[in-house]
């Protein structure tokens, strides 16, 4: 029998057989620790094939990435009745350090960290002394604190928290830094936008829920195409209605941690197709980074993806995760203003 042999559902007939290893799939929460060598527990198993106790198995995450090879501690017949038992012990893992943003200490708001795309997103914002800044972001307050730091904590910043856990994490960040520039409102993004606003905003940092396919180390997503389209539809609702809480000529910086054109180039096409949106050039700091090749632009020949290459070159940027060896993403810059032909 081959050491790493390959096994079918049928039992091996002899030492000369090469057999296919059976597969155990685990959920996203368990995948990080298993990839670093931790045992596979029954509560993390989502799918499994026929297996016997003591045989080698492939352990794969929800996106079907091979993260470890293990040895089964139980047979497949026993798994349905288990609760907190070990299903397999890891023999060899494709270990990687979990992204800091996946750690519980980060999620609870005990410290903050920014991805390169978030940093570029904040640096793409135009800043004036009379600004009133709005942050609609799925992060834990990291970008709001960075904006406060760059504006010397003198410009008011409103951060919207979508649920109780989001609110607690953001409040911890604010208490840790002791800034008075940030106020937090707890409500879903769409509900906030559609409310009646007596005070409107001059500048927006926008980071909505996205597929995160540009996040190292896996470049994978658990989303199928149908779910991705629904997510993009929700993104479009927010961008379409955002004008309700903005002053004329308000500037918007929108980022994703995605490599998918649906969430990037095609979303930007949708945004600039609206009569009240206009692409906006990046500030000098971002243009200098583009000039030096630190951040790039994806040039597509397909006109269905790029219908106006000049607007994309001047108002969007692609941060390639492979080039920077870090989490990448996409940056879009536009403003709330009627296009000249509609005036």
């Amino acid at each position: 029998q081959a050491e790493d042999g390959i096994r079918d559902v049928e039992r091996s007939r002899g030492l000369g057989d090469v057999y296919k290893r059976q597969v155990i799939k685990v959920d996203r929460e368990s995948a990080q620790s298993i990839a670093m060598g931790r045992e596979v527990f029954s509560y993390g198993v989502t799918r499994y094939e026929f297996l016997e106790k003591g045989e080698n198995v492939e352990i794969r995450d929800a996106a079907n990435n091979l993260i470890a090879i293990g040895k089964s501690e139980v047979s497949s017949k026993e798994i349905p009745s288990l609760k907190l038992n070990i299903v397999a012990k890891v023999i060899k893992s494709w270990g990687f350090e979990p992204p800091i943003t996946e750690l519980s200490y980060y999620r609870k708001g005990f410290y903050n960290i920014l991805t390169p795309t978030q940093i570029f997103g904040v640096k793409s914002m135009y800043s004036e002394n009379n600004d009133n800044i709005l942050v609609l972001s799925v992060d834990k307050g990291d970008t709001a604190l960075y904006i406060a730091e760059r504006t010397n904590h003198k410009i008011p910043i409103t951060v919207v928290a979508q649920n109780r856990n989001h609110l607690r994490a953001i409040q911890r960040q604010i208490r840790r830094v002791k800034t008075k520039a940030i106020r937090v409102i707890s409500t879903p993004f769409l509900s906030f936008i559609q409310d009646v606003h007596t005070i409107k905003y001059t500048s927006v940092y926008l980071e909505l829920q996205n597929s995160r396919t540009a996040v190292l180390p896996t470049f994978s997503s658990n989303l199928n195409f149908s779910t991705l389209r629904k997510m993009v539809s929700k993104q479009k609702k927010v961008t379409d209605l955002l004008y309700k809480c903005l002053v004329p000529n308000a500037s918007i910086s929108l980022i994703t941690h995605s490599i998918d054109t649906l969430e990037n180039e095609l979303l930007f096409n949708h945004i600039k197709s609206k009569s009240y949106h206009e692409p906006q050039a990046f500030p000098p700091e971002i243009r200098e980074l583009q000039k030096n090749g630190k951040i790039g632009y994806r040039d597509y020949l397909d006109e269905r993806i790029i219908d106006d290459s000049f607007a994309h070159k001047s108002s969007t940027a692609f941060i390639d995760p492979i080039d920077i060896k870090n989490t990448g993403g996409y940056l879009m810059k536009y403003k709330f203003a009627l296009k000249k032909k509609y005036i």
Side-chain angles (χ1 to χ4, degrees):
Q1 222 169 348
E3 182 182 351
D4 289 332
I6 303 185
R7 179 185 184 310
D8 290 318
V9 176
E10 296 179 1
R11 292 175 177 80
S12 172
R13 298 192 187 99
L15 293 175
D17 287 353
V18 174
Y19 65 92
K20 177 185 176 184
R21 289 187 296 258
Q22 299 296 70
V23 173
I24 295 176
K25 278 197 172 184
V26 296
D27 57 25
R28 182 176 179 180
E29 291 74 18
S30 304
Q32 298 281 358
S33 56
I34 293 169
M36 296 181 70
R38 188 187 180 194
E39 295 90 349
V40 180
F41 285 87
S42 52
Y43 56 77
V45 174
T46 58
R47 290 184 63 185
Y48 55 90
E49 298 174 345
F50 171 83
L51 58 98
E52 296 175 346
K53 182 177 180 180
E55 70 174 313
N56 288 358
V57 293
E58 290 185 359
I59 303 164
R60 294 181 175 270
D61 64 13
N64 208 38
N65 298 304
L66 179 62
I67 58 174
I69 300 295
K71 179 169 284 189
S72 61
E73 293 288 300
V74 296
S75 70
S76 53
K77 291 180 181 179
E78 298 174 78
I79 294 177
S81 62
L82 301 178
K83 292 184 179 179
L84 300 173
N85 302 73
I86 296 174
V87 172
K89 288 190 175 180
V90 171
I91 299 170
K92 180 181 180 182
S93 65
W94 278 255
F96 51 79
E97 292 295 330
I100 291 179
T101 53
E102 298 292 339
L103 300 178
S104 61
Y105 282 106
Y106 167 79
R107 293 201 303 269
K108 291 178 181 178
F110 288 110
Y111 60 88
N112 69 301
I113 188 168
L114 293 165
T115 68
T117 310
Q118 289 172 325
I119 292 172
F120 297 143
V122 172
K123 288 185 174 184
S124 73
M125 299 175 72
Y126 291 96
S127 179
E128 302 289 343
N129 290 333
N130 61 347
D131 267 346
N132 189 21
I133 297 173
L134 173 64
V135 176
L136 300 178
S137 178
V138 292
D139 70 50
K140 304 301 183 288
D142 315 273
T143 49
L145 290 178
Y146 186 42
I147 294 167
E149 180 185 322
R150 284 175 61 88
T151 56
N152 295 315
H153 302 271
K154 293 180 179 179
I155 293 176
I157 301 166
T158 298
V159 182
V160 179
Q162 296 200 90
N163 54 53
R164 185 177 296 179
N165 290 337
H166 196 195
L167 174 65
R168 287 174 178 171
I170 294 170
Q171 286 175 333
R172 273 196 200 95
Q173 297 274 31
I174 294 170
R175 286 196 296 269
R176 182 172 59 81
V177 178
K178 297 181 174 62
T179 181
K180 294 182 179 179
I182 300 174
R183 69 163 182 162
V184 186
I185 297 174
S186 182
T187 185
F189 290 167
L190 268 176
S191 300
F192 173 82
I193 291 169
Q194 293 174 306
D195 200 0
V196 176
H197 296 272
T198 53
I199 299 174
K200 296 195 174 184
Y201 301 91
T202 60
S203 183
V204 182
Y205 175 90
L206 192 59
E207 181 185 347
L208 306 173
Q209 185 182 12
N210 58 85
S211 65
R212 294 176 60 80
T213 47
V215 175
L216 285 174
T218 58
F219 302 129
S220 65
S221 172
N222 296 339
L223 301 177
N224 57 38
F225 187 65
S226 174
T227 307
L228 178 62
R229 287 178 67 90
K230 289 178 183 177
M231 184 178 288
V232 173
S233 177
K234 291 179 181 179
Q235 294 168 359
K236 289 178 179 178
K237 281 183 181 178
V238 173
T239 60
D240 288 353
L241 296 172
L242 186 60
Y243 74 91
K244 290 177 176 285
C245 58
L246 303 180
V247 301
N249 292 314
S251 177
I252 300 108
S253 295
L254 191 160
I255 78 151
T256 75
H257 288 108
S258 170
I259 59 176
D260 198 295
T261 55
L262 272 178
E263 299 178 282
N264 297 331
E265 287 86 356
L266 291 177
L267 178 60
F268 184 68
N269 283 351
H270 172 82
I271 289 169
K272 68 187 184 65
S273 71
K274 300 298 179 182
S275 62
Y276 47 84
H277 287 156
E278 186 175 294
Q280 187 175 32
F282 288 124
E285 190 171 6
I286 297 296
R287 292 204 299 269
E288 188 65 25
L289 289 169
Q290 288 178 310
K291 182 179 177 181
N292 295 335
K294 301 296 184 184
I295 56 178
Y297 158 75
R298 290 202 292 193
D299 192 4
Y300 283 92
L301 298 176
D302 191 338
E303 292 181 357
R304 292 172 299 176
I305 296 177
I306 300 297
D307 62 355
D308 182 353
S309 61
F310 178 78
H312 282 262
K313 286 179 180 177
S314 61
S315 303
T316 73
F318 176 61
I319 298 91
D320 192 327
I322 296 175
D323 286 349
I324 66 171
K325 296 179 176 59
N326 202 325
T327 292
Y330 200 80
L331 169 61
M332 314 173 210
K333 188 70 182 169
Y334 64 101
K335 63 181 180 178
F336 167 47
L338 284 175
K339 296 174 185 175
K340 293 178 182 178
K341 65 179 180 180
Y342 293 100
I343 297 175

